[in-house]
Amino acid sequence: GVTIMSTILVTGATGFIGSHTCVELIQSGYHVVGTDNFCNSKPAVLDRIQTITEKKMDFIKADLCHPEELDQIFQQYQIDAVIHFAGLKAVGESVEKPLEYYSNNITGTLYLLECMRKYHCYRIVFSSSATVYGMNNPVPYQENMPTSATNPYGYTKVMIEQILRDLCVSDP
């Protein structure tokens, strides 16, 4: 299992959920390495995390769609697990810019998974979305329900979940 002082890479670390997760991990004794490209967040969030935790978090500005930047992170740190929040997330915008959403969310995740494999890091928590349960499943959603989507953002989450399932079959 993952032990205290394990090094956890948090992608999308300065986003809303990512930053809150970083605070909880740091306060629980983990070594957190954060990364973000600031396309939906601001560097000032790093100061807020430091104020709350009274610790300076290791942070590297990087874009998951640039594999050489990911490679640098995995070279610099012994990453034990990844919590993956990075991705474009606006449903309406995804309808206007589907190619950008598919390219960013899926390509970024594929590069992340390839880098993890290269550096023998086999633990990931993926932040999906309730949108993957589509319009026909009753609340409360359960993970064994069929997935579907109604917009490009939702489809990126459905596709990434499938990629992760397929990867687990090939390499548990």
Side-chain angles (χ1 to χ4, degrees):
V2 178
T3 58
I4 298 299
M5 274 321 288
S6 290
T7 300
I8 312 295
L9 174 64
V10 178
T11 71
T14 55
F16 183 77
I17 309 173
S19 60
H20 284 73
T21 300
C22 288
V23 167
E24 293 300 317
L25 289 169
I26 292 166
Q27 290 179 335
S28 297
Y30 290 93
H31 175 218
V32 177
V33 177
T35 188
D36 207 306
N37 66 4
F38 300 123
C39 79
N40 268 324
S41 61
K42 294 188 167 49
V45 173
L46 295 168
D47 297 329
R48 295 187 191 125
I49 292 171
Q50 185 173 343
T51 299
I52 293 166
T53 63
E54 298 177 347
K55 291 188 174 106
K56 186 164 171 49
M57 181 176 85
D58 288 8
F59 180 85
I60 297 168
K61 183 177 188 280
D63 190 315
L64 300 190
C65 290
H66 299 139
E68 69 284 355
E69 294 177 11
L70 268 173
D71 208 57
Q72 260 181 330
I73 295 169
F74 279 83
Q75 279 176 26
Q76 187 172 346
Y77 298 95
Q78 178 67 52
I79 304 295
D80 297 301
V82 175
I83 304 181
H84 180 31
F85 295 111
L88 298 174
K89 58 164 177 46
V91 169
E93 184 183 60
S94 80
V95 175
E96 296 164 25
K97 301 177 176 179
L99 293 181
E100 287 83 348
Y101 270 69
Y102 288 118
S103 177
N104 183 81
N105 293 6
I106 295 171
T107 302
T109 301
L110 287 171
Y111 283 143
L112 174 64
L113 294 170
E114 288 168 359
C115 200
M116 289 175 67
R117 179 174 62 191
K118 178 179 174 182
Y119 290 93
H120 309 289
C121 177
Y122 301 108
R123 294 184 179 99
I124 184 167
V125 174
F126 171 57
S127 179
S128 191
S129 168
T131 64
V132 303
Y133 296 111
M135 306 298 284
N136 300 317
N137 288 311
V139 178
Y141 298 135
Q142 295 175 359
E143 288 190 8
N144 59 359
M145 288 177 165
T147 56
S148 64
T150 57
N151 57 73
Y153 164 73
Y155 274 115
T156 68
K157 295 294 189 176
V158 169
M159 289 175 190
I160 292 166
E161 286 193 11
Q162 186 62 52
I163 290 165
L164 290 169
R165 273 193 296 275
D166 293 341
L167 182 57
C168 283
V169 168
S170 75
D171 187 356

